[in-house]
Amino acid sequence: MCAGNFGRGLCVNQKLENLLQIALQLPEAERMQNPDLQAGISNQNNSWELIVKYHGSLDGLSDAGIGVEYLIAGYAILTVPGGLVEEIAGLEQIEYVEKPKAFYTQQIDPGRDSCLQELPGRGLSLSGKGVVIAILDSGIDYRLQEFRQEDGGTRIRYLWDQTAVPGQGFAPPAGFLQGVELTQAQINAALLGGGNETAPDVLPTMDITGHGTAVAGIAAGRSARYKGVAPEADLLIVKLGTAQNPFFPGTSDIMRGVTWALQRAEALGEPLIINLSYGSTYGAHDGSSLLERFLDNAAEIGRTVICVGSGNEGAARGHLAGELRSGTARPGETDFFSAQPTTRSGAGASAAVELSVGEFETNLSLQLWKNYSDSYRIRLQSPGGEEAVIATEPVQRVLTYPLEQTNVQVFVGEPSPYSVAQEIYLNFVPRGRPYVNSGVWRFVLEGLRIVTGKYYLYLSPGTGNNARTGFFEATPLVTLTIPSTASKVITVGAYDSTYDAYADFSGRGYADSDRTVGIVTAGIAKPDLTAPGVGIPAPDRFGGYLSVTGTSFSTPIVSGAAALLAEWGIVQGNDPFLYAEKVKAYFRRGAQPIRGETTYPNAKVGWGKLCVAQSIPKAASI
């Protein structure tokens, strides 16, 4: 059996994803500089969270002191001492292992421009009543009037603060190991029981950033001054994260939250809408990661709809796609190092890439995803002119190339059991100074054996503290953040309703008609649709209102709209099967054109902009 031997570059357990292998190989000090690599690792007790796909039973691991949290569809989260990671991966019932990734927020009358005002004219009275919306975000200010019933009690059925420390009568939900679960009765006791309603510590939960409060308000807020899209929907709230890292939740926190929401919705007997306004740039963007596949499974459980924001990477210069080519060079197209014309396709094909790195970047990492059938080497040049030649054949260990005051750590992976794509991961670590060398880093991809020649580069999350950091010839297409790339979620982009135009920051989807990497094949379109995402009024955590922008805030508009469709179809009995992919189909059919977009679906706006009234069958008004 493969035993690992990471440091010697020998046999490696192929059950481990690339990022986990890198994290295991690097010293702690270097690993901690990279949010990708450090996510899910506690330095206090050297415990590692692992997301596993398994078969059979994992009960025996609990007896060995390993934390086991069962999810859905053969997924689980293990909390393992660092020295046992390889041993756990070697177990026969463990099929594949990933480490958590760090996720980031994707930061009007919300429904003003989504055809909600047309519903009464069709004889439709919809408010989300009888439907529960789960907001997986930064928490909620449960004291606000927007989230209360007429009698002053809360509309929150359950609240799970994953970042809270259990104790004093508060405990995690059954089956989970972290945080505190609060019931509707406990929240009502704090609101109505004579406690100090203005004190943030009445209950052990707080929305520190206000992001989740704004998202929940847009989806389902209701007060004398403000009305969300589904103002009578029930709420399930998950504050994502851990006590050690409450601001940037990991993959495992999201998967826990989705599982919990499915369980609570089943107990309540209500259709479930899940809103996720977080995303990450790490991954092949092809639906192959455990999180993407997990959400596809979750979307098929119960009467569920999952809405995910497409992210704000459309104009961020964090992605570049290209093709190694041969033949006659285009005018002015030359090799960076030799000043010779660039060639195209087959042996000798090449492609040149320039990455600008701004000053004061403490960490920088990028991923190159390619077809495994293609073989080439990378010539890398630092801003000061030092060069390194990087082979891209898998060696399954981290190789270090010192260039100026920066160590470039390279890991060349192999396809996984769930993906045909090959990843090359480059991690830039300052050496003898606090920052990566700034300036222009140049890459030349030189073909050795080229079949398709296509490649996809992504700056990893946590990269880009300086606005000058980015690719010079960035590609705006396929800038969706993960997990909006999952097939069976509703992927929501943003448009500017003032100008009836696509919002350029909104993550764009698949327009590669001949895309050759991953399980997202030609013909699949994302996003599914757009909603207003610029200058949206939302409640803030101080009792007032603020204007917010981003796909974080277009997504809850669609989540609220999904609650209205579920109410009409399931609660009111017009269509008991109106959930999952059927809601997506109704939204697509009802979507309206956006100015300047002539072809649908397209990579910027999908099928168009949300129109709730047109998404409900016409027969409903007869």
Side-chain angles (χ1 to χ4, degrees):
M1 184 181 74
C2 183
N5 297 312
F6 288 100
R8 295 183 291 279
L10 302 176
C11 183
V12 172
N13 191 334
Q14 291 294 299
K15 294 180 183 180
L16 302 176
E17 66 152 350
N18 294 335
L19 208 62
L20 178 54
Q21 294 191 37
I22 298 169
L24 286 166
Q25 293 184 44
L26 293 183
E28 179 180 306
E30 294 183 4
R31 188 185 68 223
M32 290 181 64
Q33 292 179 269
N34 186 319
D36 279 347
L37 301 176
Q38 186 60 24
I41 302 172
S42 172
N43 291 326
Q44 294 178 346
N45 55 11
N46 190 30
S47 66
W48 293 52
E49 281 192 345
L50 304 177
I51 303 163
V52 301
K53 189 78 172 64
Y54 73 97
H55 62 267
S57 174
L58 301 176
D59 290 348
L61 298 180
S62 299
D63 299 334
I66 294 171
V68 179
E69 297 169 86
Y70 289 104
L71 303 177
I72 62 167
Y75 294 89
I77 298 170
L78 306 182
T79 303
V80 179
L84 296 180
V85 172
E86 297 175 60
E87 182 177 342
I88 292 299
L91 296 175
E92 190 275 336
Q93 64 265 42
I94 301 295
E95 299 171 6
Y96 196 67
V97 187
E98 287 188 4
K99 70 182 301 299
K101 283 73 175 179
F103 282 76
Y104 300 81
T105 54
Q106 303 163 353
Q107 320 255 103
I108 338 193
D109 175 9
R112 180 188 63 197
D113 300 294
S114 300
C115 304
L116 292 178
Q117 69 276 9
E118 298 175 17
L119 293 174
R122 293 187 51 198
L124 297 171
S125 177
L126 299 173
S127 63
K129 190 172 183 178
V131 180
V132 62
I133 301 177
I135 306 294
L136 280 61
D137 214 284
S138 66
I140 194 171
D141 189 335
Y142 64 89
R143 302 165 299 169
L144 297 182
Q145 291 296 326
E146 278 74 17
F147 310 119
R148 298 208 198 183
Q149 299 170 341
E150 295 293 338
D151 63 2
T154 186
R155 291 166 52 212
I156 302 171
R157 302 300 297 270
Y158 293 93
L159 188 160
W160 181 16
D161 189 330
Q162 296 180 342
T163 71
V165 178
Q168 298 182 341
F170 297 108
F176 297 95
L177 303 176
Q178 72 182 53
V180 165
E181 182 182 48
L182 303 172
T183 66
Q184 187 174 35
Q186 288 173 309
I187 299 172
N188 281 336
L191 293 174
L192 307 173
N196 182 359
E197 295 183 15
T198 63
D201 58 349
V202 169
L203 291 173
T205 184
M206 179 189 298
D207 182 3
I208 299 174
T209 68
H211 188 273
T213 297
V215 168
I218 293 169
R222 181 190 64 184
S223 71
R225 296 184 294 167
Y226 185 89
K227 184 178 179 182
V229 178
E232 291 192 272
D234 290 330
L235 290 168
L236 293 172
I237 303 297
V238 181
K239 181 176 180 179
L240 295 168
T242 64
Q244 293 75 32
N245 190 356
F247 296 105
F248 302 112
T251 315
S252 51
D253 304 315
I254 293 172
M255 294 170 78
R256 288 184 178 103
V258 169
T259 300
W260 175 85
L262 289 167
Q263 293 171 348
R264 292 293 171 264
E266 181 182 8
L268 293 170
E270 296 184 5
L272 171 66
I273 315 298
I274 296 177
N275 185 97
L276 188 56
S277 292
Y278 278 73
S280 171
T281 59
Y282 179 81
H285 294 69
D286 64 0
S288 63
S289 75
L290 288 190
L291 178 59
E292 292 161 294
R293 294 166 56 239
F294 172 87
L295 289 181
D296 283 342
N297 278 282
E300 296 179 345
I301 294 176
R303 299 170 296 175
T304 302
V305 178
I306 302 176
C307 300
V308 185
S310 68
N312 301 333
E313 296 292 319
R317 299 170 53 231
H319 169 51
L320 187 149
E323 181 179 353
L324 274 69
R325 299 166 300 217
S326 69
T328 306
R330 289 177 295 187
E333 185 178 12
T334 59
D335 180 283
F336 281 119
F337 299 154
S338 64
Q340 297 300 311
T342 304
T343 57
R344 309 175 183 250
S345 183
S350 66
V353 174
E354 287 186 316
L355 173 68
S356 170
V357 177
E359 297 178 345
F360 312 119
E361 290 286 8
T362 57
N363 70 87
L364 181 76
S365 59
L366 60 89
Q367 320 136 50
L368 187 155
W369 297 89
K370 58 183 281 292
N371 195 296
Y372 190 57
S373 301
D374 295 332
S375 297
Y376 49 78
R377 59 176 171 259
I378 302 173
R379 289 163 58 194
L380 175 61
Q381 186 183 80
S382 70
E386 296 185 14
E387 297 181 15
V389 178
I390 302 169
T392 62
E393 290 305 309
V395 295
Q396 295 299 313
R397 61 187 177 92
V398 175
L399 302 175
T400 299
Y401 301 85
L403 295 175
E404 300 183 46
Q405 291 80 41
T406 300
N407 281 335
V408 182
Q409 299 170 334
V410 180
F411 184 87
V412 181
E414 293 187 0
S416 79
Y418 306 110
S419 174
V420 300
Q422 180 185 20
E423 177 191 14
I424 302 169
Y425 187 89
L426 292 87
N427 187 39
F428 295 71
V429 180
R431 180 165 56 94
R433 52 176 284 170
Y435 307 112
V436 173
N437 288 95
S438 61
V440 178
W441 289 78
R442 295 180 171 89
F443 306 75
V444 175
L445 312 181
E446 298 180 330
L448 302 175
R449 176 183 180 272
I450 299 301
V451 178
T452 72
K454 292 184 178 296
Y455 61 88
Y456 305 84
L457 282 158
Y458 289 93
L459 287 176
S460 295
T463 290
N465 298 319
N466 189 307
R468 293 182 59 189
T469 298
F471 294 106
F472 277 102
E473 296 184 3
T475 306
L477 298 178
V478 199
T479 50
L480 298 171
T481 52
I482 296 168
S484 71
T485 43
S487 175
K488 294 185 179 180
V489 305
I490 296 178
T491 303
V492 183
Y495 77 98
D496 188 333
S497 58
T498 300
Y499 299 100
D500 190 30
Y502 162 74
D504 66 350
F505 60 79
S506 182
R508 301 189 191 187
Y510 301 110
D512 286 347
S513 60
D514 56 350
R515 183 175 172 89
T516 63
V517 174
I519 62 175
V520 172
T521 55
I524 291 183
K526 287 279 186 178
D528 293 293
L529 76 165
T530 61
V534 178
I536 311 299
D540 66 27
R541 61 193 180 96
F542 304 107
Y545 300 91
L546 73 166
S547 178
V548 292
T549 292
T551 60
S552 276
F553 310 109
S554 58
T555 306
I557 295 177
V558 175
S559 294
L564 301 184
L565 263 65
E567 179 190 8
W568 175 82
I570 300 171
V571 179
Q572 296 184 1
N574 294 295
D575 184 347
F577 304 104
L578 190 50
Y579 52 86
E581 293 289 85
K582 193 168 188 178
V583 172
K584 180 190 295 183
Y586 278 28
F587 278 154
R588 286 176 172 180
R589 179 162 182 167
Q592 300 298 295
I594 293 178
R595 189 174 65 177
E597 307 297 329
T598 58
T599 302
Y600 298 91
N602 67 42
K604 293 192 291 184
V605 301
W607 272 257
K609 61 184 178 183
L610 172 69
C611 181
V612 179
Q614 296 301 315
S615 297
I616 297 175
K618 295 290 185 182
S621 62
I622 299 175

